[in-house]
Amino acid sequence: IPALATERRLAQRLREHLEEDQLLDGRYQLQQVPGGRVALPVLEEKLSQLCLPLEIPCELVRIQQDPVPSRASRRRAPAQKLRDELRRLLGGSWSEELEQDVPHAWQRHGDLVLLSEDSFKAAPWESLGSALWETVASALGAQRVARRGRVLPDGMRTPSVTLLLGQDGWVEHVDNGIRYTFDVTKCMFSPGNITEKLRVASLPCSGEVLVDLYAGIGYFTLPFLVHAGAAFVHACEWNVHAVEALRRALALNGVQDRCRIHHGDSRQLELRDMADRVNLGLIPSSEEGWPVACRVLKKDTGGVLHIHHNVETPPAPPLVLPAEWGSPEAQHPMEDTGKETVGARIRPEWQRWAEATATRIQGLLVELHGRLWHTTVLHIEAVKSYAPHVHHLVLDLECRPALP
């Protein structure tokens, strides 16, 4: 796939597609190859099952060079060290059951490691007390240890996290030069949105007033302020813990004077006729925020809505590969067409959803203002695969009042 900045998001989408179908070779990572392209590693024994998405410009090639180990592969060293230390700690009590109970992956936030909810649940671990968590921290090069539980069904996606070693759950996470801070026991951090955070950071927002209807800890509020040049952001959030995290992060990044936090239900937001751009970053659907978004757009000039939604996408038909592509000598250079059109890279289901949404938003604006408005689909972005055959999409929708 071409190694342009805009194409890296497509490479990430292709990675998720291959992972969903269990075709990706997890031992190696995406890497640059000659010809201005990047390559994803596919399991050779599963080439017959390969189904390349038609909307992504890619092809199957063989690369004669040493692959770069993946992050997961590099993690195996500390994971092995952790198992060795625990085996030494337990001595003769070590068993296959305990081996399966030791985590192979975790999240790291500064000096805190966050373990998965299914790790260290076997009864023998309890007898070790604090020695277990001190061993885990030492083996993984951390000072604090926490473990995830199930996300609470409270409408705020509050995490159920237990702090196992340490007294404070506040951590700092740096993404794209932006400092986020949050309490892991109170707020979630979603690394899967990184491609969208990078995209909004590159949008031309200089001088604009923006409303972020579901700000959270500042996933998109901060990129709009720090990198995209927004003049001012109104950030709406009803979770008190996320509000505190956002307030701290605004100060950490020195942009607190260009943001006002509205704590409460965004559906009750009283702002009107003041926004050039509105971000609706809520999944599985941001539909309840559409009327508010229409109200806050400038009534004389309109603006752009960034509408998040989960869209069901049936599997694409299999792609029949030429027999010679299996040959080690075969090399197939890709033609870089330079096309940036939306329609060439999206699936029909995504286009239908975007057009239906544009029609709905147009109707809301006409009803609100009593005159004709035009809505135009500017872009459809696939953020990630949310579930099998369900994609988290973002629609950039331009909304303008008709000229008198």
Side-chain angles (χ1 to χ4, degrees):
I1 188 170
L4 303 174
T6 53
E7 307 295 350
R8 289 188 175 276
R9 293 192 298 271
L10 297 176
Q12 179 61 28
R13 283 165 50 191
L14 181 56
R15 178 194 291 273
E16 292 166 354
H17 171 82
L18 294 173
E19 287 176 339
E20 181 180 331
D21 291 339
Q22 299 181 334
L23 300 176
L24 197 66
D25 191 338
R27 295 172 297 174
Y28 308 112
Q29 69 178 22
L30 177 150
Q31 60 184 302
Q32 289 196 1
V33 294
R37 295 174 293 169
V38 293
L40 289 165
V42 179
L43 290 166
E44 187 167 7
E45 64 270 22
K46 293 194 174 182
L47 285 179
S48 62
Q49 304 173 29
L50 186 62
C51 172
L52 297 176
L54 299 179
E55 76 278 0
I56 299 180
C58 55
E59 62 180 327
L60 182 65
V61 298
R62 284 185 177 269
I63 303 170
Q64 303 299 322
Q65 67 183 68
D66 294 331
V68 180
S70 67
R71 183 179 300 177
S73 294
R74 296 196 299 271
R75 273 185 170 177
R76 290 194 184 105
Q80 185 59 52
K81 181 180 179 181
L82 175 58
R83 287 194 293 274
D84 292 343
E85 293 292 329
L86 292 172
R87 187 181 292 110
R88 187 177 301 112
L89 184 64
L90 280 164
S93 300
W94 189 256
S95 65
E96 180 63 28
E97 178 190 12
L98 296 180
E99 174 83 27
Q100 297 301 319
D101 215 23
V102 178
H104 298 278
W106 47 86
Q107 287 185 15
R108 182 180 293 274
H109 301 290
D111 68 352
L112 182 145
V113 292
L114 183 59
L115 306 173
S116 60
E117 63 179 292
D118 57 351
S119 58
F120 298 114
K121 289 299 183 74
W125 297 120
E126 298 177 4
S127 64
L128 298 177
S130 61
L132 169 62
W133 310 122
E134 291 168 0
T135 300
V136 171
S138 175
L140 301 183
Q143 299 295 320
R144 295 176 291 167
V145 179
R147 180 169 56 196
R148 288 198 305 264
R150 296 188 180 277
V151 177
L152 301 179
D154 57 0
M156 301 185 187
R157 292 187 58 77
T158 302
S160 176
V161 172
T162 303
L163 195 62
L164 304 167
L165 181 67
Q167 302 300 318
D168 183 6
W170 279 92
V171 298
E172 187 173 313
H173 190 100
V174 180
D175 245 359
N176 193 26
I178 297 172
R179 299 168 68 185
Y180 297 86
T181 185
F182 58 100
D183 185 341
V184 296
T185 68
K186 308 293 185 190
C187 299
M188 292 184 63
F189 185 85
S190 178
N193 291 335
I194 180 62
T195 56
E196 181 62 7
K197 285 185 284 188
L198 290 171
R199 190 179 77 91
V200 302
S202 68
L203 292 174
C205 302
S206 179
E208 292 185 351
V209 175
L210 187 138
V211 174
D212 190 355
L213 284 181
Y214 310 100
I217 66 172
Y219 290 125
F220 303 115
T221 295
L222 290 168
F224 275 121
L225 287 167
V226 175
H227 293 310
F232 199 87
V233 174
H234 292 272
C236 310
E237 177 55 44
W238 67 358
N239 183 333
V240 64
H241 303 296
V243 166
E244 177 60 23
L246 176 56
R247 183 173 289 113
R248 294 190 186 195
L250 289 168
L252 277 176
N253 292 278
V255 293
Q256 65 273 29
D257 294 337
R258 292 159 49 211
C259 182
R260 177 186 172 189
I261 300 175
H262 300 262
H263 180 204
D265 189 336
S266 61
R267 291 170 295 187
Q268 309 303 319
L269 187 66
E270 296 183 357
L271 298 176
R272 288 177 176 267
D273 184 25
M274 40 70 63
D276 300 291
R277 194 178 297 264
V278 184
N279 193 63
L280 298 106
L282 181 66
I283 54 174
S285 173
S286 61
E287 190 168 349
E288 289 191 358
W290 296 358
V292 181
C294 292
R295 288 201 301 270
V296 300
L297 277 181
K298 291 180 177 178
K299 64 181 182 181
D300 293 330
T301 56
V304 176
L305 307 182
H306 302 285
I307 303 172
H308 292 236
H309 198 80
N310 280 353
V311 177
E312 291 189 20
T313 310
L319 179 65
V320 179
L321 300 175
E324 65 270 17
W325 281 25
S327 168
E329 294 78 22
Q331 294 291 325
H332 299 273
M334 178 184 297
E335 178 184 356
D336 185 4
T337 63
K339 292 182 180 179
E340 289 296 330
T341 57
V342 172
R345 292 180 177 171
I346 63 171
R347 303 187 186 183
E349 296 81 12
W350 302 355
Q351 183 70 40
R352 285 194 290 269
W353 164 74
E355 292 172 355
T357 299
T359 300
R360 287 278 309 282
I361 295 293
Q362 182 186 37
L364 289 172
L365 288 164
V366 170
E367 181 180 351
L368 176 66
H369 297 290
R371 58 171 170 157
L372 181 62
W373 279 63
H374 299 296
T375 54
T376 305
V377 174
L378 297 178
H379 179 74
I380 302 171
E381 180 74 12
V383 179
K384 62 178 180 291
S385 176
Y386 183 84
H389 311 307
V390 177
H391 287 84
H392 173 184
L393 305 182
V394 181
L395 164 63
D396 296 350
L397 186 67
E398 185 178 40
C399 307
R400 303 293 180 191
L403 296 176

